Every structure is written in structure tokens, then in C-alpha cells.
Amino acid sequence: MSAAKEILERLAGDSLPDWHLVESALRRKTLASGECLFLVGVAHPVVYFVKSGVIKMVYETYDGDAWVKAFAAEGRFFASIAGLSPGGVTSFSAVAACSASVESLPYHLLDQLGDKHPQWQRALRKGFELYGFRKEARERDLLTLSAEERYQRFIEEYPHIAERVTDRDIAGYVRVTPVALSRIKARIKLRQMDDRLDI
Amino acid sequence: MSAAKEILERLAGDSLPDWHLVESALRRKTLASGECLFLVGVAHPVVYFVKSGVIKMVYETYDGDAWVKAFAAEGRFFASIAGLSPGGVTSFSAVAACSASVESLPYHLLDQLGDKHPQWQRALRKGFELYGFRKEARERDLLTLSAEERYQRFIEEYPHIAERVTDRDIAGYVRVTPVALSRIKARIKLRQMDDRLDI
DNA sequence: ACCGCTCATTAACCTAGGTTAACGCTGACC
DNA sequence: GGTCAGCGTTAACCTAGGTTAATGAGCGGT
């Protein structure tokens, strides 16, 4: 059975009708590390589901830095919400942070299914609710934690992602430069050694 | 006509049935500046609508700083998404940033209306979609802009809020200390004077 | 085996912002 | 009218992180 279906039905709390429509619209794509799924600033009303690997969503600034908005690993849906609504364009790019495979689905199909079946509308609503919940947490981390705390939390919370992406990308997620991240790691290691000596 | 109703029906793209249920569940509350609507860490499945004034949503850290997650002014809905789901607790506090009046609505009513009427489910979904869109923008600002840029963007984008809340709260939103914000303002003013002399 | 690439680390220097403290202003409350 | 508390500003000092550059390790391509 499709992993995506299972996740959506858990969201809806119900079985989802017309799944065959999803099945036939679904496109599978395999990506090498560094390969781009979509670029910032384009109309792209598509929702993705990660089958394997890690996708990073990045904001590129005018002066060439790339900050990592979020990672999506196996079992996660993602999309640029700004790029979903008619006339909207994506607000970030999506790039494979390691070799990955994804499934894609045109958003208008989900929208139609939502209008047709309350179960689907509910699944979508719960999906956005969950998205809002996650964004709240990310916003809180960016507002209230120091760079070092954000790094520590990231590797504790997402070890399965941390071990597969480069330190450079982790730095982009923590919102420091790779140089600063290297210093932070050295600082933590030093402190751990001190702690051991203190016993 | 209720301003909240108008906004919700625009989201749904349709008229909303059973509005009388909302009408009779709605509670109005007036708040003096600094008065608290709800505290962090409590079960609070309530959605608010701002009739007048400005509400600030704040994260309190263990060492006593208060960072401003967001402001909500007239015409905005808000809630702690984490506090909406059964068993969840609010992830921030809501406090009046100036004298304000709000309407409140138990979330379970909206949830029920959503299960009962597709128009409501759609309104809720669109509401969360909009919330996600806003959170995406906030996250991007925190990730890609400097403190000074965040301040400039805030006063340009929300002048009607900036003029009514304290600099202290603006600093909390921009994610700097009040002292640093004062320096930033001085820096900007100095540059503007230089610009004028350069003509 | 060699080249060339990207990545992680380290050092040196610089800057923005945090911290603490002092000062003046305003507005609420006796 | 006097007192007090909170706010915004400024100054002095400190620290975390940005910037630039050099170094070395790993690795795919030839």
C-alpha cells in the first residue's frame, strides 16, 4: 500500500475515496544529490511526497547565500504554499540534500477532491493545520534560541537527517555560516571533554 | 454585518450556513494595554478575532526575555495552533499590545461546522492555508534578513501597527534587544541625514 | 596515480548586537 | 504638585558570529 495514502487517511481519520485518481496522476522522480526539484519564483502548484532521501527547501538571497528553510525526509509531504494558489509563485527552491526519490501530485487535483469529498477536505485542512503547527515551532526556535541551541536541538531532534546532509546545509538551517557552525561544534566538543574531566 | 463573517465567507468563496450557531457562541472581550488573553502552556482551544487594537503573541524564555512571534490587528483571526488540538497546550501567550477588543469562539464549534458543511471545511482549510503562507513569510524574514532589514520591513509593511505599539515590542518582533533597536533607529536616521546632504 | 573539486577546519580580524548602567522624559497614582 | 515606574536613548565594554584566507581530507573523473 502507498505510504502517502496511509498518512493522508490518518490525517482525515477516514478512508479517502477516488484514490485511483491520485494513483494515476502521481509521478515518481529520482534525484541525485544536489539536483533541483523546483526553483524559487515559478508557478508550481505541485505537492511532493518524499519516498526516500532528504529534500532541502532553500531561500536564496540576492548576495548568494542559501538559507535552509526546512528539510523533508521520508514520509513527509511538502510544497511551497505560496506557489499553490492560482497566480502565486514559489517562495523557495527545493533541492535534493542527498540522493532522493519523490512522488508529485498537481495541487488542483487535491483541491478538486476536497470540493468533492468532505474526507479529502478534512485531510487537506488537517494537513495545513499540521504545517502551521510545524512552522510555529520553527519560528519559535528562530526567535528564542541561540545558534548553538538551535544546532543542538536539530541534531537531537532529527539525527536521521543530520547524518545524511552536509554540515554546510545544517549551518544553513541553523542560520549561521559553515565557519561559525564549525566553531560551535568545536566549542561543544571542548565542553564535553571538560565535563568528563570534572567527574 | 459581522466583520468576521465577511472574512470567513471570502475565504470559503461561499456563504456559510448555521452562522447563528457562531453568533450565539461568540464572546466579546475588551482588554486594557498589557492585559493577557491567554498564557503559554495551557489547553486553550479558542480562536480569536480582533475587532480593534493590537494583540501581541509572545514567547517567554526561561531567562525572562519575551520575543514577539506576531502581532494581530483589526480584522485578523489568531489562535495557538498547538493549543487547538485535543490534549495540546498553547505554545505562546497572547497579550494586548495596546487597548483592544476581541471576539472568541471555541474551536470545537468550528471543527463541528467543518464536519457538517463543506463550505465551513473549505473556509477552515483556506484559513490554515493563509496562516501557513504568513508563517512562510515570517520564517523567510527571520532566516534571510538582518535585524535592520527586518525593522525597516516591519515599519513599511505594518505602519498602522508600528505606530500603536511600544518600541520594546517592536524590538521583540525584530528579534533584537530594545537597546539594539534604538541603535538601529539612530543609524537609519543618520544615514537619511547623510543622504539629504549628498544631494 | 593524478588532477580538480567541494567540504570541514582553523586562524586572524572585524562588526553587529548583547549587557550593564546612567540619564531624561512621560504618564499614572497619591 | 510630588513620587514612582516604565520607556527610549546613549555610552562603555564584551562576545558571538561574519569574513577572508590558508590548509588538509575525501572523492569522482580521467
Side-chain angles (χ1 to χ4, degrees), chain B residues 94-123:
Chain B
V95 179
C98 59
S99 56
S101 82
V102 300
E103 292 171 341
S104 70
L105 215 49
Y107 183 60
H108 76 87
L109 173 63
L110 297 176
D111 212 31
Q112 281 168 13
L113 285 166
D115 285 345
K116 202 163 147 200
H117 304 290
Q119 300 96 313
W120 272 100
Q121 194 70 274
R122 184 172 174 83

Side-chain angles (χ1 to χ4, degrees), chain B residues 28-44:
Chain B
R28 189 114 179 218
K29 189 164 184 181
T30 305
L31 296 145
S33 179
E35 210 173 327
C36 181
L37 207 49
F38 58 81
L39 279 173
V40 65
V42 298
H44 196 73

Side-chain angles (χ1 to χ4, degrees), chain A residues 2 22 27 41 51 76 95 97 115 117 125 154 174-175 188:
Chain A
S2 158
V22 170
R27 294 285 168 275
K51 296 285 285 181
R76 272 288 158 88
V95 179
D115 286 345
H117 304 289
R125 202 250 290 178
F154 175 71
V174 171
R175 218 252 112 121
I188 291 172

Side-chain angles (χ1 to χ4, degrees), chain A residues 120-138:
Chain A
W120 272 100
Q121 194 68 274
R122 184 173 175 82
L124 292 177
R125 202 250 290 178
K126 288 286 171 188
F128 281 113
E129 201 176 309
L130 188 56
Y131 182 76
F133 178 74
R134 292 224 178 86
K135 290 301 101 182
E136 261 189 13
R138 173 79 162 132

Side-chain angles (χ1 to χ4, degrees), chain A residues 6 47 58 117 130 148 152-153 160 164 167 172 180 185 189:
Chain A
E6 209 170 317
V47 173
V58 302
H117 304 289
L130 188 56
E148 184 173 330
Q152 295 254 38
R153 178 158 305 187
H160 57 297
R164 281 185 289 170
D167 278 13
K185 284 167 64 180
K189 199 190 285 178

Side-chain angles (χ1 to χ4, degrees), chain A residues 59-62 67-70 79-86 91-92 107 110-111 114-115 118 121-122 124-126 128-146 149-150 172-175, chain B residues 59-62 67-70 79-86 91-92 107 110-111 114-115 118 121-122 124-126 128-146 149-150 172-175:
Chain A
Y59 291 121
E60 328 256 359
T61 65
Y62 50 90
W67 298 112
V68 176
K69 169 191 158 62
S80 169
I81 300 211
L84 293 183
S85 43
S91 58
F92 54 83
Y107 183 58
L110 296 177
D111 212 31
D115 286 345
Q121 194 68 274
R122 184 173 175 82
L124 292 177
R125 202 250 290 178
K126 288 286 171 188
F128 281 113
E129 201 176 309
L130 188 56
Y131 182 76
F133 178 74
R134 292 224 178 86
K135 290 301 101 182
E136 261 189 13
R138 173 79 162 132
E139 187 182 77
R140 188 190 54 232
D141 287 355
L142 286 170
L143 268 178
T144 65
L145 301 182
S146 67
E149 289 168 320
R150 287 198 297 273
Y173 182 82
V174 171
R175 218 252 112 121
Chain B
Y59 291 121
E60 327 257 1
T61 64
Y62 49 90
W67 299 112
V68 176
K69 169 191 159 61
S80 169
I81 300 211
L84 294 183
S85 44
S91 59
F92 54 82
Y107 183 60
L110 297 176
D111 212 31
D115 285 345
Q121 194 70 274
R122 184 172 174 83
L124 292 178
R125 202 250 289 175
K126 288 287 172 186
F128 281 112
E129 202 175 310
L130 187 56
Y131 182 78
F133 179 74
R134 293 227 178 85
K135 290 301 100 181
E136 261 189 13
R138 172 79 162 136
E139 186 181 79
R140 188 190 54 233
D141 288 355
L142 285 170
L143 268 178
T144 64
L145 301 182
S146 66
E149 289 169 319
R150 286 198 300 272
Y173 183 82
V174 171
R175 218 255 112 122

